[in-house]
Amino acid sequence: MATVYKVLGQSNPAATTATTLYTVPASTSTVVSTITVCNQASSAATFRIAVRPAAASLAAQHYIVFGATVPASDTTTLTIGLTLATTDVVTVYASSATVSFNAYGSEIS
């Protein structure tokens, strides 16, 4: 089995829009080691992060963060060791279009 360490996904979603940050490829497992949430605005913003097993429709039980605040001109770093299976999806959402998300980790295939 090969392990590849990489930037898994980067997104600057439209405000109040659930957006895919990362989808696990076929025949692959993934460990998301870190997710960063960067607010580039001069006012605070809120964000959400969800994990949708097997690309399920977004539902309340999928959220790992809901309504957390990232201060103005600041970054929140989540070091979580999230394990994902093939076709699992990490979905992000922010109250403002000035928030960007980055996921870092490894793919095992």
Side-chain angles (χ1 to χ4, degrees), residues 77-95:
T77 302
L78 306 170
T79 303
I80 53 179
L82 180 66
T83 56
L84 303 173
T86 298
T87 71
D88 288 353
V89 178
V90 177
T91 300
V92 295
Y93 171 104
S95 62

Side-chain angles (χ1 to χ4, degrees), residues 3 13-15 24 29 36-37 51 61-62 72-73 78 84 93 102 108:
T3 301
V24 181
S29 297
T36 60
V37 184
V51 176
Q61 69 267 23
H62 298 141
S73 302
L78 306 170
L84 303 173
Y93 171 104
N102 290 272
I108 303 109

Side-chain angles (χ1 to χ4, degrees), residues 8 74 95:
L8 298 170
D74 202 358
S95 62

Side-chain angles (χ1 to χ4, degrees), residues 23-84:
T23 302
V24 181
S27 303
T28 304
S29 297
T30 299
V31 177
V32 180
S33 61
T34 305
I35 297 175
T36 60
V37 184
C38 178
N39 182 5
Q40 297 122 37
S42 58
S43 58
T46 60
F47 68 95
R48 303 174 187 174
I49 301 172
V51 176
R52 299 185 295 126
S57 295
L58 187 60
Q61 69 267 23
H62 298 141
Y63 286 99
I64 59 172
V65 178
F66 191 93
T69 300
V70 59
S73 302
D74 202 358
T75 299
T76 297
T77 302
L78 306 170
T79 303
I80 53 179
L82 180 66
T83 56
L84 303 173

